[in-house]
């Protein structure tokens, strides 16, 4: 690991502790303008999702509905709580070809995007220590009176995420402040995801509040609208 990644991993709980974790379960409210743009409105307003930390897999239960999604890179499944199949799609990423920011989504589109996004977010920064990831510290930025060190991460092809190359900004304490990216399946739409509300959950330091906006130029924030808001309540680590 390079020096910045080493410091970030230590600040978020350390690799030894992370390697003991098998899953993270989160009760969350996920809101923002993006979901209305995709004709999904309040679909994620009350959900419980489980991140598998040993492989790229995320399950999500929709509170008050007899529905669960199972995201994996090559297949997304919608099912009842008794595992009865509702719908499924193999190679789901291909179903986004030609999509732009305002292209409506069906429920499997939503499950795929939520799966790859939340799995990445909850696995940061530990994920980037794995074989196949390429990390490089790039020039820092001055933001909100702090110097943020920036880690550029190139994802391997077998991991599905927003895009292959993403930037993670860390404060002087080593904690993630902001995640910068574009989103391939949204036609290259831009995103700045701010991380706050840190909580120590059984030795893993997790930001429980995230706010996502678009950017322009050299990662200049577009303050309106709020595209994504993630508010986490109960978090359980196993």
């Amino acid at each position: 690991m390079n020096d910045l990644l080493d410091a970030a991993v230590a600040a978020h709980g350390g690799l030894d502790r992370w390697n003991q974790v098998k899953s993270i379960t989160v009760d969350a409210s996920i809101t923002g303008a993006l979901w209305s743009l995709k004709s999904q409105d309040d679909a994620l307003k009350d959900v419980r999702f489980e991140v598998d930390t040993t492989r790229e897999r995320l399950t999500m239960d929709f509170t008050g509905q007899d529905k669960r999604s199972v995201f994996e890179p090559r297949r997304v499944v919608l099912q009842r709580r008794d595992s009865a199949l509702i719908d499924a799609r193999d190679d789901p990423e291909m179903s986004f070809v030609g999509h732009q920011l305002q292209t409506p989504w069906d429920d499997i589109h939503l499950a795929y995007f939520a799966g790859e996004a939340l799995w990445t977010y909850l696995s940061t920064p530990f994920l980037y220590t794995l074989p196949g990831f390429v990390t490089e510290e790039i020039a820092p930025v001055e933001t909100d009176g702090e110097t943020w060190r920036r880690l550029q991460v190139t994802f391997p092809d077998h991991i599905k995420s927003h895009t292959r190359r993403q930037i993670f900004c860390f404060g002087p304490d080593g904690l993630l402040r902001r995640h910068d990216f574009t989103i391939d399946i949204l036609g290259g739409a831009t995103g700045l995801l701010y991380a706050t509300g840190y909580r120590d959950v059984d030795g893993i330091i997790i930001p429980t509040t995230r706010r996502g906006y678009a950017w322009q130029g050299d990662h200049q924030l577009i303050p309106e609208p709020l595209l994504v808001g993630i508010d986490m309540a109960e978090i359980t680590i196993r």
Side-chain angles (χ1 to χ4, degrees):
M1 295 190 291
N2 63 44
D3 174 64
L4 175 53
L5 180 56
D6 187 48
V9 166
H12 288 82
L15 201 55
D16 288 345
R17 176 66 185 107
W18 178 255
N19 286 336
Q20 298 170 355
V21 175
K22 303 303 180 185
S23 68
I24 303 173
T25 302
V26 179
D27 290 332
S29 178
I30 305 175
T31 57
L34 175 62
W35 316 114
S36 294
L37 286 173
K38 310 310 286 186
S39 299
Q40 288 289 340
D41 296 307
D42 293 333
L44 303 179
K45 191 173 182 179
D46 191 358
V47 294
R48 171 175 290 177
F49 62 87
E50 180 177 308
V51 175
D52 187 330
T53 63
T54 67
R55 56 176 172 153
E56 191 171 11
R57 187 176 192 271
L58 184 140
T59 60
M60 179 176 288
D61 289 294
F62 297 79
T63 304
Q65 304 179 54
D66 186 15
K67 184 171 68 174
R68 168 181 289 180
S69 65
V70 182
F71 158 81
E72 293 178 309
R74 297 297 178 187
R75 182 173 171 83
V76 171
V77 174
L78 295 178
Q79 60 189 33
R80 304 294 182 195
R81 290 182 182 173
D82 63 2
S83 298
L85 182 66
I86 300 172
D87 200 359
R89 184 172 295 156
D90 292 319
D91 202 8
E93 188 177 36
M94 293 304 297
S95 68
F96 292 91
V97 172
H99 279 213
Q100 299 298 318
L101 183 59
Q102 296 189 9
T103 305
W105 279 348
D106 61 27
D107 288 349
I108 291 188
H109 288 130
L110 177 69
Y112 178 88
F113 176 77
E116 60 90 347
L118 294 168
W119 188 83
T120 298
Y121 303 162
L122 270 293
S123 300
T124 297
F126 308 101
L127 180 61
Y128 315 125
T129 67
L130 294 179
F133 286 89
V134 178
T135 61
E136 175 188 4
E137 184 169 1
I138 60 176
V141 293
E142 297 291 331
T143 305
D144 297 333
E146 290 187 330
T147 298
W148 291 355
R149 296 173 67 185
R150 295 192 298 166
L151 186 72
Q152 180 175 273
V153 178
T154 303
F155 285 60
D157 289 337
H158 69 278
I159 297 292
K160 298 301 181 182
S161 190
H162 291 325
T163 193
R164 282 203 69 206
R165 184 168 293 173
Q166 304 177 37
I167 296 173
F168 299 85
C169 306
F170 298 94
D173 55 6
L175 295 176
L176 182 70
R177 294 290 194 272
R178 195 181 75 194
H179 176 190
D180 304 357
F181 47 82
T182 58
I183 305 174
D184 294 342
I185 62 174
L186 292 180
T190 60
L192 297 177
L193 190 66
Y194 292 82
T196 58
Y198 275 91
R199 189 189 308 166
D200 185 333
V201 184
D202 291 339
I204 300 297
I205 314 304
I206 297 174
T208 61
T209 302
R210 302 195 191 222
R211 294 291 182 265
Y213 305 87
W215 57 266
Q216 61 187 352
D218 186 17
H219 297 89
Q220 298 302 307
L221 170 69
I222 300 174
E224 295 291 340
L226 170 66
L227 291 173
V228 174
I230 303 173
D231 294 283
M232 301 181 189
E234 187 71 21
I235 302 174
T236 304
I237 286 180
R238 294 183 176 87

